[in-house]
Amino acid sequence: MIPLADENPTLRAPVMTYSLLALIFGTWILGQSAGFDLRRLAISVCDYGMVPGELTRLAALGTAVPMGPGLACIVDDLPINRLTPLTSMFLHGGWGHLLGNALFFWVFGNNVEDSMGRIRFLAFYLICGLAAAAAHVALEPRSPVPTVGASGAISGIMGAYLILYPRVRVKMLFYFLIFFKVIPIQAWLVLLWWFMWQVLAGLPQLTRVNPDVSGGVAVWAHVGGFLAGVVLVKLFENKRLVDIRTAERHRLHPGHP
């Protein structure tokens, strides 16, 4: 299932959502060579990605993590490591990683921003991203593997959307081989289904033989970011904006929840 759009009109242009997307794409293209220079990509991930074992100092200094042919990321204790929970939010590991995150952010971010205001939304986004990073470090404290991506912060946006607009319909693209169909589904079902798969995907990480090295996607960061969004959204929402948006949605879609 791929989200394409929702039936939830915005009152103002989502300037902060656009700005964050521009920053993310700009970092990917200008700072990470859009993935075309493997060495430059590896250096960006290694130097500015978050390594849990570096933050906790539980990964042995000098540990090498292969990053590509002739390339390895070495665990160190440089001062920049303290900033990597923030810098890692704006880095990605590939085009698929980037575009997937951008699509979910595009569909859900504009409505959450429109319900908070721009500055509150920015603070909320960053806090959810840091909460996601903390969840990943808590579950992988010894890992020497660098983690990058905006998905933790975007997961927080999705958690906020679940609380704010659970019954708004989201247009989902279903595909199987050559079969394609767009079906509108209420947001609570889409988001809880997504969250369930994150938890199921993360369960093996809790019981694997070698718990020191992450096996792939940092799904517990997704879980942590999502839960942070659910818990914190009421502190950041602007109730007046939410009420106005709800009235506008009912005007445009009479009879829909």
Side-chain angles (χ1 to χ4, degrees), residues 150-205:
S151 50
I154 295 169
S155 297
I157 299 301
M158 295 166 65
Y161 197 103
L162 173 65
I163 299 301
L164 292 171
Y165 305 110
R167 300 180 67 189
V168 167
R169 299 195 305 181
V170 179
K171 296 177 182 178
M172 302 295 295
L173 173 64
F174 288 79
Y175 64 92
F176 180 73
L177 298 179
I178 60 173
F179 172 79
F180 295 88
K181 188 173 182 61
V182 176
I183 303 176
I185 301 176
Q186 289 191 359
W188 70 268
L189 183 58
V190 172
L191 295 170
L192 288 180
W193 177 263
W194 176 89
F195 181 74
M196 179 193 71
W197 278 109
Q198 303 307 305
V199 173
L200 291 177
L203 290 178
Q205 293 186 18

Side-chain angles (χ1 to χ4, degrees), residues 73-97:
C73 187
I74 308 300
V75 173
D76 58 42
D77 59 354
L78 296 176
I80 188 63
N81 295 344
R82 301 186 187 94
L83 298 178
T84 55
L86 180 62
T87 58
S88 62
M89 291 186 213
F90 300 95
L91 302 172
H92 287 82
W95 276 105
H97 187 201

Side-chain angles (χ1 to χ4, degrees), residues 228-240:
V230 167
V231 171
L232 296 175
V233 60
K234 289 300 181 179
L235 297 178
F236 286 85
E237 74 167 348
N238 184 319
K239 189 66 168 59
R240 181 183 65 84

Side-chain angles (χ1 to χ4, degrees), residues 45-46 48-61 65 73-77 81-82 84-85 88 132-148 205 208 211-218 220-221:
V45 171
C46 183
Y48 301 106
M50 185 187 73
V51 179
E54 289 182 339
L55 294 173
T56 62
R57 299 182 181 272
L58 294 177
L61 292 177
V65 177
C73 187
I74 308 300
V75 173
D76 58 42
D77 59 354
N81 295 344
R82 301 186 187 94
T84 55
S88 62
H136 181 56
V137 171
L139 269 296
E140 304 279 356
R142 298 179 180 274
S143 175
V145 179
T147 302
V148 295
Q205 293 186 18
R208 63 180 182 274
D212 293 345
V213 179
S214 173
V217 178
W220 289 109

